[in-house]
Amino acid sequence: MKPLDIEYIKKNLRTREFGRELLYFEQLDSTSSHLAELSRGSAARQGIVVVAEQQTAGRGRQGNSWYSPPGPGLYLSLLLKPALPSIKLSGMTLALGCSAAEAIEGIAKAPMAVKWPNDLYCNNRKVGGMLTEMQSHGGLIDNAVIGIGLNVNNELVPLDLCDTASSLRLETGKVCSREDLLMGLLYGLETDYRIFREQGLKAFTERLSARFFLKGKRASVQDGLGIRLRGVVSGFDSDGGLLLADDQGRTVKCSSGTVMEMEP
Ligand code: BTN
């Protein structure tokens, strides 16, 4: 498979800020680790994007690794400089997940959904994920590294993931341009990050509800403290927390965690 055509991207990128500084690597341990390191220097500006053809230590949420072979996938990290208290950013991953899902759907012509909190799904299978890592200073988040991994043209997924994971190619039967995906993602994220800063997650309620993968499903969620919550997913709240209706009909909220299983 061809390497990313960086010249084409630079010529055709429609953003004002995101990706205007584009750092391309054939191989990195992790684009997010590299960008976090860069962002510790004061010169790193909002909108820098690090992209790699392969990652030797790609990271997912909660200590998981992200399978990052060379060729078919897209592995990128974007630097934001919010200068806001963390409470104002609690719904950001969900908002940007919605933005990413819409951008991918528009380009790959694949039906995309967002599985709380940060998985990108196509036809009931995970094709991508987002990892948001923040650094604070004096009570404000000064750096947020948004890492995105997307299985684009993979013809196979690892055997241990094949029940739940897939790629855009496997789902649509078509090869998709990684360059167009990268440019579409950055354009969508730039537009929607501005909307999120101005209006918060409420501006995404309709868009997100239309592609909220878990809605109406029975789910079992392990929250950040390791407590198991069960119920039918009713939606999300203004902070991006997952709302479930438990068997007594009460609404319970899960602010962070992982959906462990989905019962029929
Ligand atoms: C998840 O589903 O748990 C999130 C996966 C995020 C993977 C991406 S790939 C680019 C960036 N660099 C990393 O090491 N991780 C993110």
mmCIF file with all atom_site columns, all heavy atoms in Angstrom, residues 66-69 72-75 104 126-129 149-154 156-158 161 165-170 181:
data_model
loop_
_atom_site.group_PDB
_atom_site.id
_atom_site.type_symbol
_atom_site.label_atom_id
_atom_site.label_alt_id
_atom_site.label_comp_id
_atom_site.label_asym_id
_atom_site.label_entity_id
_atom_site.label_seq_id
_atom_site.pdbx_PDB_ins_code
_atom_site.Cartn_x
_atom_site.Cartn_y
_atom_site.Cartn_z
_atom_site.occupancy
_atom_site.B_iso_or_equiv
_atom_site.pdbx_formal_charge
_atom_site.auth_seq_id
_atom_site.auth_comp_id
_atom_site.auth_asym_id
_atom_site.auth_atom_id
_atom_site.pdbx_PDB_model_num
ATOM 1   N N   . TRP A 1 66  ? -3.204  -0.294  20.793 1.00 0.00 ? 66  TRP A N   1
ATOM 2   C CA  . TRP A 1 66  ? -3.916  -0.060  19.526 1.00 0.00 ? 66  TRP A CA  1
ATOM 3   C C   . TRP A 1 66  ? -3.096  -0.672  18.404 1.00 0.00 ? 66  TRP A C   1
ATOM 4   O O   . TRP A 1 66  ? -1.963  -0.263  18.147 1.00 0.00 ? 66  TRP A O   1
ATOM 5   C CB  . TRP A 1 66  ? -4.145  1.439   19.277 1.00 0.00 ? 66  TRP A CB  1
ATOM 6   C CG  . TRP A 1 66  ? -4.996  1.653   18.050 1.00 0.00 ? 66  TRP A CG  1
ATOM 7   C CD1 . TRP A 1 66  ? -4.562  2.015   16.810 1.00 0.00 ? 66  TRP A CD1 1
ATOM 8   C CD2 . TRP A 1 66  ? -6.411  1.477   17.949 1.00 0.00 ? 66  TRP A CD2 1
ATOM 9   N NE1 . TRP A 1 66  ? -5.623  2.071   15.940 1.00 0.00 ? 66  TRP A NE1 1
ATOM 10  C CE2 . TRP A 1 66  ? -6.775  1.743   16.612 1.00 0.00 ? 66  TRP A CE2 1
ATOM 11  C CE3 . TRP A 1 66  ? -7.408  1.117   18.858 1.00 0.00 ? 66  TRP A CE3 1
ATOM 12  C CZ2 . TRP A 1 66  ? -8.088  1.664   16.163 1.00 0.00 ? 66  TRP A CZ2 1
ATOM 13  C CZ3 . TRP A 1 66  ? -8.724  1.037   18.402 1.00 0.00 ? 66  TRP A CZ3 1
ATOM 14  C CH2 . TRP A 1 66  ? -9.054  1.314   17.078 1.00 0.00 ? 66  TRP A CH2 1
ATOM 15  N N   . TYR A 1 67  ? -3.667  -1.669  17.765 1.00 0.00 ? 67  TYR A N   1
ATOM 16  C CA  . TYR A 1 67  ? -2.995  -2.394  16.685 1.00 0.00 ? 67  TYR A CA  1
ATOM 17  C C   . TYR A 1 67  ? -2.755  -1.431  15.521 1.00 0.00 ? 67  TYR A C   1
ATOM 18  O O   . TYR A 1 67  ? -3.709  -0.877  14.973 1.00 0.00 ? 67  TYR A O   1
ATOM 19  C CB  . TYR A 1 67  ? -3.911  -3.558  16.301 1.00 0.00 ? 67  TYR A CB  1
ATOM 20  C CG  . TYR A 1 67  ? -3.482  -4.369  15.117 1.00 0.00 ? 67  TYR A CG  1
ATOM 21  C CD1 . TYR A 1 67  ? -2.293  -5.090  15.141 1.00 0.00 ? 67  TYR A CD1 1
ATOM 22  C CD2 . TYR A 1 67  ? -4.285  -4.446  13.984 1.00 0.00 ? 67  TYR A CD2 1
ATOM 23  C CE1 . TYR A 1 67  ? -1.911  -5.858  14.052 1.00 0.00 ? 67  TYR A CE1 1
ATOM 24  C CE2 . TYR A 1 67  ? -3.911  -5.215  12.887 1.00 0.00 ? 67  TYR A CE2 1
ATOM 25  C CZ  . TYR A 1 67  ? -2.715  -5.908  12.936 1.00 0.00 ? 67  TYR A CZ  1
ATOM 26  O OH  . TYR A 1 67  ? -2.343  -6.660  11.863 1.00 0.00 ? 67  TYR A OH  1
ATOM 27  N N   . SER A 1 68  ? -1.496  -1.231  15.169 1.00 0.00 ? 68  SER A N   1
ATOM 28  C CA  . SER A 1 68  ? -1.156  -0.164  14.211 1.00 0.00 ? 68  SER A CA  1
ATOM 29  C C   . SER A 1 68  ? -0.177  -0.638  13.145 1.00 0.00 ? 68  SER A C   1
ATOM 30  O O   . SER A 1 68  ? 0.957   -0.156  13.065 1.00 0.00 ? 68  SER A O   1
ATOM 31  C CB  . SER A 1 68  ? -0.523  1.022   14.958 1.00 0.00 ? 68  SER A CB  1
ATOM 32  O OG  . SER A 1 68  ? -1.225  1.370   16.116 1.00 0.00 ? 68  SER A OG  1
ATOM 33  N N   . PRO A 1 69  ? -0.576  -1.599  12.307 1.00 0.00 ? 69  PRO A N   1
ATOM 34  C CA  . PRO A 1 69  ? 0.357   -2.086  11.289 1.00 0.00 ? 69  PRO A CA  1
ATOM 35  C C   . PRO A 1 69  ? 0.581   -1.029  10.201 1.00 0.00 ? 69  PRO A C   1
ATOM 36  O O   . PRO A 1 69  ? -0.262  -0.143  10.021 1.00 0.00 ? 69  PRO A O   1
ATOM 37  C CB  . PRO A 1 69  ? -0.394  -3.292  10.711 1.00 0.00 ? 69  PRO A CB  1
ATOM 38  C CG  . PRO A 1 69  ? -1.835  -2.950  10.887 1.00 0.00 ? 69  PRO A CG  1
ATOM 39  C CD  . PRO A 1 69  ? -1.920  -2.181  12.171 1.00 0.00 ? 69  PRO A CD  1
ATOM 40  N N   . PRO A 1 72  ? -2.486  0.019   6.035  1.00 0.00 ? 72  PRO A N   1
ATOM 41  C CA  . PRO A 1 72  ? -3.922  0.231   5.859  1.00 0.00 ? 72  PRO A CA  1
ATOM 42  C C   . PRO A 1 72  ? -4.563  1.251   6.799  1.00 0.00 ? 72  PRO A C   1
ATOM 43  O O   . PRO A 1 72  ? -5.643  1.748   6.505  1.00 0.00 ? 72  PRO A O   1
ATOM 44  C CB  . PRO A 1 72  ? -4.507  -1.156  6.150  1.00 0.00 ? 72  PRO A CB  1
ATOM 45  C CG  . PRO A 1 72  ? -3.542  -1.784  7.101  1.00 0.00 ? 72  PRO A CG  1
ATOM 46  C CD  . PRO A 1 72  ? -2.194  -1.248  6.733  1.00 0.00 ? 72  PRO A CD  1
ATOM 47  N N   . GLY A 1 73  ? -3.927  1.560   7.902  1.00 0.00 ? 73  GLY A N   1
ATOM 48  C CA  . GLY A 1 73  ? -4.619  2.344   8.938  1.00 0.00 ? 73  GLY A CA  1
ATOM 49  C C   . GLY A 1 73  ? -4.243  3.814   8.934  1.00 0.00 ? 73  GLY A C   1
ATOM 50  O O   . GLY A 1 73  ? -3.324  4.250   8.243  1.00 0.00 ? 73  GLY A O   1
ATOM 51  N N   . LEU A 1 74  ? -4.985  4.571   9.716  1.00 0.00 ? 74  LEU A N   1
ATOM 52  C CA  . LEU A 1 74  ? -4.686  5.988   9.914  1.00 0.00 ? 74  LEU A CA  1
ATOM 53  C C   . LEU A 1 74  ? -4.461  6.189   11.412 1.00 0.00 ? 74  LEU A C   1
ATOM 54  O O   . LEU A 1 74  ? -5.317  5.810   12.224 1.00 0.00 ? 74  LEU A O   1
ATOM 55  C CB  . LEU A 1 74  ? -5.890  6.798   9.430  1.00 0.00 ? 74  LEU A CB  1
ATOM 56  C CG  . LEU A 1 74  ? -5.743  8.278   9.142  1.00 0.00 ? 74  LEU A CG  1
ATOM 57  C CD1 . LEU A 1 74  ? -4.593  8.554   8.173  1.00 0.00 ? 74  LEU A CD1 1
ATOM 58  C CD2 . LEU A 1 74  ? -7.049  8.823   8.557  1.00 0.00 ? 74  LEU A CD2 1
ATOM 59  N N   . TYR A 1 75  ? -3.310  6.744   11.757 1.00 0.00 ? 75  TYR A N   1
ATOM 60  C CA  . TYR A 1 75  ? -2.966  6.967   13.166 1.00 0.00 ? 75  TYR A CA  1
ATOM 61  C C   . TYR A 1 75  ? -2.518  8.418   13.286 1.00 0.00 ? 75  TYR A C   1
ATOM 62  O O   . TYR A 1 75  ? -1.486  8.786   12.720 1.00 0.00 ? 75  TYR A O   1
ATOM 63  C CB  . TYR A 1 75  ? -1.836  6.026   13.613 1.00 0.00 ? 75  TYR A CB  1
ATOM 64  C CG  . TYR A 1 75  ? -1.972  4.633   13.034 1.00 0.00 ? 75  TYR A CG  1
ATOM 65  C CD1 . TYR A 1 75  ? -1.056  4.158   12.103 1.00 0.00 ? 75  TYR A CD1 1
ATOM 66  C CD2 . TYR A 1 75  ? -3.041  3.807   13.392 1.00 0.00 ? 75  TYR A CD2 1
ATOM 67  C CE1 . TYR A 1 75  ? -1.193  2.901   11.532 1.00 0.00 ? 75  TYR A CE1 1
ATOM 68  C CE2 . TYR A 1 75  ? -3.186  2.557   12.830 1.00 0.00 ? 75  TYR A CE2 1
ATOM 69  C CZ  . TYR A 1 75  ? -2.265  2.111   11.900 1.00 0.00 ? 75  TYR A CZ  1
ATOM 70  O OH  . TYR A 1 75  ? -2.406  0.874   11.326 1.00 0.00 ? 75  TYR A OH  1
ATOM 71  N N   . ILE A 1 104 ? -16.175 10.671  8.691  1.00 0.00 ? 104 ILE A N   1
ATOM 72  C CA  . ILE A 1 104 ? -15.838 9.363   8.094  1.00 0.00 ? 104 ILE A CA  1
ATOM 73  C C   . ILE A 1 104 ? -17.006 8.878   7.226  1.00 0.00 ? 104 ILE A C   1
ATOM 74  O O   . ILE A 1 104 ? -16.813 8.400   6.116  1.00 0.00 ? 104 ILE A O   1
ATOM 75  C CB  . ILE A 1 104 ? -15.507 8.335   9.206  1.00 0.00 ? 104 ILE A CB  1
ATOM 76  C CG1 . ILE A 1 104 ? -14.258 8.770   9.973  1.00 0.00 ? 104 ILE A CG1 1
ATOM 77  C CG2 . ILE A 1 104 ? -15.327 6.937   8.609  1.00 0.00 ? 104 ILE A CG2 1
ATOM 78  C CD1 . ILE A 1 104 ? -14.072 8.077   11.309 1.00 0.00 ? 104 ILE A CD1 1
ATOM 79  N N   . LYS A 1 126 ? -16.322 -2.256  15.759 1.00 0.00 ? 126 LYS A N   1
ATOM 80  C CA  . LYS A 1 126 ? -15.437 -1.124  16.007 1.00 0.00 ? 126 LYS A CA  1
ATOM 81  C C   . LYS A 1 126 ? -14.434 -0.990  14.866 1.00 0.00 ? 126 LYS A C   1
ATOM 82  O O   . LYS A 1 126 ? -13.704 -1.932  14.571 1.00 0.00 ? 126 LYS A O   1
ATOM 83  C CB  . LYS A 1 126 ? -14.712 -1.335  17.342 1.00 0.00 ? 126 LYS A CB  1
ATOM 84  C CG  . LYS A 1 126 ? -13.727 -0.229  17.686 1.00 0.00 ? 126 LYS A CG  1
ATOM 85  C CD  . LYS A 1 126 ? -13.321 -0.265  19.149 1.00 0.00 ? 126 LYS A CD  1
ATOM 86  C CE  . LYS A 1 126 ? -12.209 0.727   19.429 1.00 0.00 ? 126 LYS A CE  1
ATOM 87  N NZ  . LYS A 1 126 ? -11.964 0.946   20.853 1.00 0.00 ? 126 LYS A NZ  1
ATOM 88  N N   . VAL A 1 127 ? -14.414 0.180   14.247 1.00 0.00 ? 127 VAL A N   1
ATOM 89  C CA  . VAL A 1 127 ? -13.424 0.433   13.199 1.00 0.00 ? 127 VAL A CA  1
ATOM 90  C C   . VAL A 1 127 ? -12.425 1.515   13.622 1.00 0.00 ? 127 VAL A C   1
ATOM 91  O O   . VAL A 1 127 ? -11.412 1.719   12.958 1.00 0.00 ? 127 VAL A O   1
ATOM 92  C CB  . VAL A 1 127 ? -14.075 0.829   11.846 1.00 0.00 ? 127 VAL A CB  1
ATOM 93  C CG1 . VAL A 1 127 ? -14.906 -0.311  11.284 1.00 0.00 ? 127 VAL A CG1 1
ATOM 94  C CG2 . VAL A 1 127 ? -14.922 2.086   11.981 1.00 0.00 ? 127 VAL A CG2 1
ATOM 95  N N   . GLY A 1 128 ? -12.732 2.194   14.722 1.00 0.00 ? 128 GLY A N   1
ATOM 96  C CA  . GLY A 1 128 ? -11.815 3.243   15.151 1.00 0.00 ? 128 GLY A CA  1
ATOM 97  C C   . GLY A 1 128 ? -12.040 3.606   16.610 1.00 0.00 ? 128 GLY A C   1
ATOM 98  O O   . GLY A 1 128 ? -13.011 3.164   17.236 1.00 0.00 ? 128 GLY A O   1
ATOM 99  N N   . GLY A 1 129 ? -11.110 4.381   17.123 1.00 0.00 ? 129 GLY A N   1
ATOM 100 C CA  . GLY A 1 129 ? -11.239 4.819   18.513 1.00 0.00 ? 129 GLY A CA  1
ATOM 101 C C   . GLY A 1 129 ? -10.510 6.127   18.719 1.00 0.00 ? 129 GLY A C   1
ATOM 102 O O   . GLY A 1 129 ? -9.644  6.506   17.914 1.00 0.00 ? 129 GLY A O   1
ATOM 103 N N   . GLY A 1 149 ? -7.347  6.587   15.964 1.00 0.00 ? 149 GLY A N   1
ATOM 104 C CA  . GLY A 1 149 ? -6.891  5.412   15.217 1.00 0.00 ? 149 GLY A CA  1
ATOM 105 C C   . GLY A 1 149 ? -8.060  4.887   14.406 1.00 0.00 ? 149 GLY A C   1
ATOM 106 O O   . GLY A 1 149 ? -9.172  4.761   14.935 1.00 0.00 ? 149 GLY A O   1
ATOM 107 N N   . LEU A 1 150 ? -7.814  4.618   13.130 1.00 0.00 ? 150 LEU A N   1
ATOM 108 C CA  . LEU A 1 150 ? -8.905  4.178   12.263 1.00 0.00 ? 150 LEU A CA  1
ATOM 109 C C   . LEU A 1 150 ? -8.426  3.025   11.374 1.00 0.00 ? 150 LEU A C   1
ATOM 110 O O   . LEU A 1 150 ? -7.389  3.130   10.715 1.00 0.00 ? 150 LEU A O   1
ATOM 111 C CB  . LEU A 1 150 ? -9.325  5.386   11.398 1.00 0.00 ? 150 LEU A CB  1
ATOM 112 C CG  . LEU A 1 150 ? -10.623 5.303   10.623 1.00 0.00 ? 150 LEU A CG  1
ATOM 113 C CD1 . LEU A 1 150 ? -11.823 5.035   11.526 1.00 0.00 ? 150 LEU A CD1 1
ATOM 114 C CD2 . LEU A 1 150 ? -10.833 6.607   9.849  1.00 0.00 ? 150 LEU A CD2 1
ATOM 115 N N   . ASN A 1 151 ? -9.160  1.926   11.414 1.00 0.00 ? 151 ASN A N   1
ATOM 116 C CA  . ASN A 1 151 ? -8.862  0.811   10.508 1.00 0.00 ? 151 ASN A CA  1
ATOM 117 C C   . ASN A 1 151 ? -9.514  1.134   9.177  1.00 0.00 ? 151 ASN A C   1
ATOM 118 O O   . ASN A 1 151 ? -10.743 1.099   9.058  1.00 0.00 ? 151 ASN A O   1
ATOM 119 C CB  . ASN A 1 151 ? -9.446  -0.492  11.060 1.00 0.00 ? 151 ASN A CB  1
ATOM 120 C CG  . ASN A 1 151 ? -8.884  -0.857  12.424 1.00 0.00 ? 151 ASN A CG  1
ATOM 121 O OD1 . ASN A 1 151 ? -7.771  -0.456  12.762 1.00 0.00 ? 151 ASN A OD1 1
ATOM 122 N ND2 . ASN A 1 151 ? -9.641  -1.601  13.197 1.00 0.00 ? 151 ASN A ND2 1
ATOM 123 N N   . VAL A 1 152 ? -8.717  1.478   8.198  1.00 0.00 ? 152 VAL A N   1
ATOM 124 C CA  . VAL A 1 152 ? -9.275  1.968   6.928  1.00 0.00 ? 152 VAL A CA  1
ATOM 125 C C   . VAL A 1 152 ? -9.309  0.838   5.892  1.00 0.00 ? 152 VAL A C   1
ATOM 126 O O   . VAL A 1 152 ? -10.367 0.308   5.570  1.00 0.00 ? 152 VAL A O   1
ATOM 127 C CB  . VAL A 1 152 ? -8.466  3.177   6.398  1.00 0.00 ? 152 VAL A CB  1
ATOM 128 C CG1 . VAL A 1 152 ? -9.093  3.695   5.108  1.00 0.00 ? 152 VAL A CG1 1
ATOM 129 C CG2 . VAL A 1 152 ? -8.399  4.287   7.439  1.00 0.00 ? 152 VAL A CG2 1
ATOM 130 N N   . ASN A 1 153 ? -8.155  0.483   5.381  1.00 0.00 ? 153 ASN A N   1
ATOM 131 C CA  . ASN A 1 153 ? -8.128  -0.475  4.262  1.00 0.00 ? 153 ASN A CA  1
ATOM 132 C C   . ASN A 1 153 ? -7.660  -1.869  4.682  1.00 0.00 ? 153 ASN A C   1
ATOM 133 O O   . ASN A 1 153 ? -7.256  -2.662  3.820  1.00 0.00 ? 153 ASN A O   1
ATOM 134 C CB  . ASN A 1 153 ? -7.259  0.091   3.129  1.00 0.00 ? 153 ASN A CB  1
ATOM 135 C CG  . ASN A 1 153 ? -7.929  1.303   2.493  1.00 0.00 ? 153 ASN A CG  1
ATOM 136 O OD1 . ASN A 1 153 ? -9.152  1.316   2.296  1.00 0.00 ? 153 ASN A OD1 1
ATOM 137 N ND2 . ASN A 1 153 ? -7.164  2.342   2.200  1.00 0.00 ? 153 ASN A ND2 1
ATOM 138 N N   . ASN A 1 154 ? -7.723  -2.144  5.963  1.00 0.00 ? 154 ASN A N   1
ATOM 139 C CA  . ASN A 1 154 ? -7.307  -3.468  6.453  1.00 0.00 ? 154 ASN A CA  1
ATOM 140 C C   . ASN A 1 154 ? -8.189  -4.550  5.818  1.00 0.00 ? 154 ASN A C   1
ATOM 141 O O   . ASN A 1 154 ? -9.411  -4.436  5.822  1.00 0.00 ? 154 ASN A O   1
ATOM 142 C CB  . ASN A 1 154 ? -7.467  -3.565  7.975  1.00 0.00 ? 154 ASN A CB  1
ATOM 143 C CG  . ASN A 1 154 ? -6.870  -2.388  8.719  1.00 0.00 ? 154 ASN A CG  1
ATOM 144 O OD1 . ASN A 1 154 ? -7.241  -1.246  8.459  1.00 0.00 ? 154 ASN A OD1 1
ATOM 145 N ND2 . ASN A 1 154 ? -5.971  -2.660  9.620  1.00 0.00 ? 154 ASN A ND2 1
ATOM 146 N N   . LEU A 1 156 ? -7.790  -7.647  6.912  1.00 0.00 ? 156 LEU A N   1
ATOM 147 C CA  . LEU A 1 156 ? -7.893  -8.600  8.024  1.00 0.00 ? 156 LEU A CA  1
ATOM 148 C C   . LEU A 1 156 ? -7.825  -7.825  9.325  1.00 0.00 ? 156 LEU A C   1
ATOM 149 O O   . LEU A 1 156 ? -7.227  -6.763  9.384  1.00 0.00 ? 156 LEU A O   1
ATOM 150 C CB  . LEU A 1 156 ? -6.675  -9.531  8.037  1.00 0.00 ? 156 LEU A CB  1
ATOM 151 C CG  . LEU A 1 156 ? -6.514  -10.539 6.916  1.00 0.00 ? 156 LEU A CG  1
ATOM 152 C CD1 . LEU A 1 156 ? -5.111  -11.136 6.993  1.00 0.00 ? 156 LEU A CD1 1
ATOM 153 C CD2 . LEU A 1 156 ? -7.571  -11.634 7.051  1.00 0.00 ? 156 LEU A CD2 1
ATOM 154 N N   . VAL A 1 157 ? -8.418  -8.361  10.369 1.00 0.00 ? 157 VAL A N   1
ATOM 155 C CA  . VAL A 1 157 ? -8.170  -7.810  11.706 1.00 0.00 ? 157 VAL A CA  1
ATOM 156 C C   . VAL A 1 157 ? -7.612  -8.964  12.541 1.00 0.00 ? 157 VAL A C   1
ATOM 157 O O   . VAL A 1 157 ? -7.848  -10.133 12.221 1.00 0.00 ? 157 VAL A O   1
ATOM 158 C CB  . VAL A 1 157 ? -9.443  -7.213  12.364 1.00 0.00 ? 157 VAL A CB  1
ATOM 159 C CG1 . VAL A 1 157 ? -9.855  -5.928  11.694 1.00 0.00 ? 157 VAL A CG1 1
ATOM 160 C CG2 . VAL A 1 157 ? -10.583 -8.202  12.373 1.00 0.00 ? 157 VAL A CG2 1
ATOM 161 N N   . PRO A 1 158 ? -6.852  -8.674  13.596 1.00 0.00 ? 158 PRO A N   1
ATOM 162 C CA  . PRO A 1 158 ? -6.264  -9.763  14.372 1.00 0.00 ? 158 PRO A CA  1
ATOM 163 C C   . PRO A 1 158 ? -7.344  -10.733 14.869 1.00 0.00 ? 158 PRO A C   1
ATOM 164 O O   . PRO A 1 158 ? -8.461  -10.310 15.202 1.00 0.00 ? 158 PRO A O   1
ATOM 165 C CB  . PRO A 1 158 ? -5.596  -9.048  15.552 1.00 0.00 ? 158 PRO A CB  1
ATOM 166 C CG  . PRO A 1 158 ? -5.450  -7.638  15.124 1.00 0.00 ? 158 PRO A CG  1
ATOM 167 C CD  . PRO A 1 158 ? -6.510  -7.356  14.123 1.00 0.00 ? 158 PRO A CD  1
ATOM 168 N N   . LEU A 1 161 ? -9.534  -10.131 17.821 1.00 0.00 ? 161 LEU A N   1
ATOM 169 C CA  . LEU A 1 161 ? -10.461 -8.988  17.780 1.00 0.00 ? 161 LEU A CA  1
ATOM 170 C C   . LEU A 1 161 ? -11.570 -9.186  16.741 1.00 0.00 ? 161 LEU A C   1
ATOM 171 O O   . LEU A 1 161 ? -12.453 -8.343  16.605 1.00 0.00 ? 161 LEU A O   1
ATOM 172 C CB  . LEU A 1 161 ? -9.694  -7.700  17.419 1.00 0.00 ? 161 LEU A CB  1
ATOM 173 C CG  . LEU A 1 161 ? -8.616  -7.226  18.386 1.00 0.00 ? 161 LEU A CG  1
ATOM 174 C CD1 . LEU A 1 161 ? -7.932  -5.984  17.822 1.00 0.00 ? 161 LEU A CD1 1
ATOM 175 C CD2 . LEU A 1 161 ? -9.224  -6.907  19.751 1.00 0.00 ? 161 LEU A CD2 1
ATOM 176 N N   . ALA A 1 165 ? -14.116 -6.239  15.995 1.00 0.00 ? 165 ALA A N   1
ATOM 177 C CA  . ALA A 1 165 ? -13.440 -5.175  15.242 1.00 0.00 ? 165 ALA A CA  1
ATOM 178 C C   . ALA A 1 165 ? -13.557 -5.407  13.744 1.00 0.00 ? 165 ALA A C   1
ATOM 179 O O   . ALA A 1 165 ? -13.772 -6.527  13.282 1.00 0.00 ? 165 ALA A O   1
ATOM 180 C CB  . ALA A 1 165 ? -11.970 -5.108  15.642 1.00 0.00 ? 165 ALA A CB  1
ATOM 181 N N   . SER A 1 166 ? -13.399 -4.322  13.006 1.00 0.00 ? 166 SER A N   1
ATOM 182 C CA  . SER A 1 166 ? -13.451 -4.427  11.557 1.00 0.00 ? 166 SER A CA  1
ATOM 183 C C   . SER A 1 166 ? -12.695 -3.237  10.970 1.00 0.00 ? 166 SER A C   1
ATOM 184 O O   . SER A 1 166 ? -12.007 -2.505  11.695 1.00 0.00 ? 166 SER A O   1
ATOM 185 C CB  . SER A 1 166 ? -14.912 -4.431  11.093 1.00 0.00 ? 166 SER A CB  1
ATOM 186 O OG  . SER A 1 166 ? -14.995 -4.769  9.729  1.00 0.00 ? 166 SER A OG  1
ATOM 187 N N   . SER A 1 167 ? -12.832 -3.066  9.659  1.00 0.00 ? 167 SER A N   1
ATOM 188 C CA  . SER A 1 167 ? -12.234 -1.897  9.001  1.00 0.00 ? 167 SER A CA  1
ATOM 189 C C   . SER A 1 167 ? -13.279 -1.331  8.042  1.00 0.00 ? 167 SER A C   1
ATOM 190 O O   . SER A 1 167 ? -14.254 -2.016  7.694  1.00 0.00 ? 167 SER A O   1
ATOM 191 C CB  . SER A 1 167 ? -10.981 -2.300  8.208  1.00 0.00 ? 167 SER A CB  1
ATOM 192 O OG  . SER A 1 167 ? -11.356 -3.028  7.058  1.00 0.00 ? 167 SER A OG  1
ATOM 193 N N   . LEU A 1 168 ? -13.040 -0.113  7.592  1.00 0.00 ? 168 LEU A N   1
ATOM 194 C CA  . LEU A 1 168 ? -13.981 0.488   6.634  1.00 0.00 ? 168 LEU A CA  1
ATOM 195 C C   . LEU A 1 168 ? -14.031 -0.343  5.358  1.00 0.00 ? 168 LEU A C   1
ATOM 196 O O   . LEU A 1 168 ? -15.087 -0.561  4.787  1.00 0.00 ? 168 LEU A O   1
ATOM 197 C CB  . LEU A 1 168 ? -13.548 1.932   6.321  1.00 0.00 ? 168 LEU A CB  1
ATOM 198 C CG  . LEU A 1 168 ? -13.644 2.907   7.497  1.00 0.00 ? 168 LEU A CG  1
ATOM 199 C CD1 . LEU A 1 168 ? -13.020 4.251   7.131  1.00 0.00 ? 168 LEU A CD1 1
ATOM 200 C CD2 . LEU A 1 168 ? -15.104 3.093   7.922  1.00 0.00 ? 168 LEU A CD2 1
ATOM 201 N N   . ARG A 1 169 ? -12.880 -0.865  4.947  1.00 0.00 ? 169 ARG A N   1
ATOM 202 C CA  . ARG A 1 169 ? -12.849 -1.663  3.720  1.00 0.00 ? 169 ARG A CA  1
ATOM 203 C C   . ARG A 1 169 ? -13.662 -2.949  3.881  1.00 0.00 ? 169 ARG A C   1
ATOM 204 O O   . ARG A 1 169 ? -14.416 -3.332  2.981  1.00 0.00 ? 169 ARG A O   1
ATOM 205 C CB  . ARG A 1 169 ? -11.406 -2.003  3.382  1.00 0.00 ? 169 ARG A CB  1
ATOM 206 C CG  . ARG A 1 169 ? -11.356 -2.922  2.188  1.00 0.00 ? 169 ARG A CG  1
ATOM 207 C CD  . ARG A 1 169 ? -10.041 -2.922  1.533  1.00 0.00 ? 169 ARG A CD  1
ATOM 208 N NE  . ARG A 1 169 ? -10.089 -3.707  0.325  1.00 0.00 ? 169 ARG A NE  1
ATOM 209 C CZ  . ARG A 1 169 ? -9.029  -3.989  -0.386 1.00 0.00 ? 169 ARG A CZ  1
ATOM 210 N NH1 . ARG A 1 169 ? -7.867  -3.539  -0.002 1.00 0.00 ? 169 ARG A NH1 1
ATOM 211 N NH2 . ARG A 1 169 ? -9.141  -4.704  -1.474 1.00 0.00 ? 169 ARG A NH2 1
ATOM 212 N N   . LEU A 1 170 ? -13.492 -3.607  5.025  1.00 0.00 ? 170 LEU A N   1
ATOM 213 C CA  . LEU A 1 170 ? -14.241 -4.853  5.240  1.00 0.00 ? 170 LEU A CA  1
ATOM 214 C C   . LEU A 1 170 ? -15.744 -4.575  5.279  1.00 0.00 ? 170 LEU A C   1
ATOM 215 O O   . LEU A 1 170 ? -16.546 -5.393  4.849  1.00 0.00 ? 170 LEU A O   1
ATOM 216 C CB  . LEU A 1 170 ? -13.792 -5.530  6.537  1.00 0.00 ? 170 LEU A CB  1
ATOM 217 C CG  . LEU A 1 170 ? -12.386 -6.154  6.500  1.00 0.00 ? 170 LEU A CG  1
ATOM 218 C CD1 . LEU A 1 170 ? -11.934 -6.563  7.897  1.00 0.00 ? 170 LEU A CD1 1
ATOM 219 C CD2 . LEU A 1 170 ? -12.364 -7.365  5.567  1.00 0.00 ? 170 LEU A CD2 1
ATOM 220 N N   . LEU A 1 181 ? -9.673  10.976  4.110  1.00 0.00 ? 181 LEU A N   1
ATOM 221 C CA  . LEU A 1 181 ? -10.180 10.801  5.480  1.00 0.00 ? 181 LEU A CA  1
ATOM 222 C C   . LEU A 1 181 ? -9.472  11.754  6.436  1.00 0.00 ? 181 LEU A C   1
ATOM 223 O O   . LEU A 1 181 ? -10.117 12.403  7.270  1.00 0.00 ? 181 LEU A O   1
ATOM 224 C CB  . LEU A 1 181 ? -9.964  9.357   5.950  1.00 0.00 ? 181 LEU A CB  1
ATOM 225 C CG  . LEU A 1 181 ? -10.976 8.339   5.424  1.00 0.00 ? 181 LEU A CG  1
ATOM 226 C CD1 . LEU A 1 181 ? -10.492 6.927   5.703  1.00 0.00 ? 181 LEU A CD1 1
ATOM 227 C CD2 . LEU A 1 181 ? -12.356 8.558   6.066  1.00 0.00 ? 181 LEU A CD2 1
#
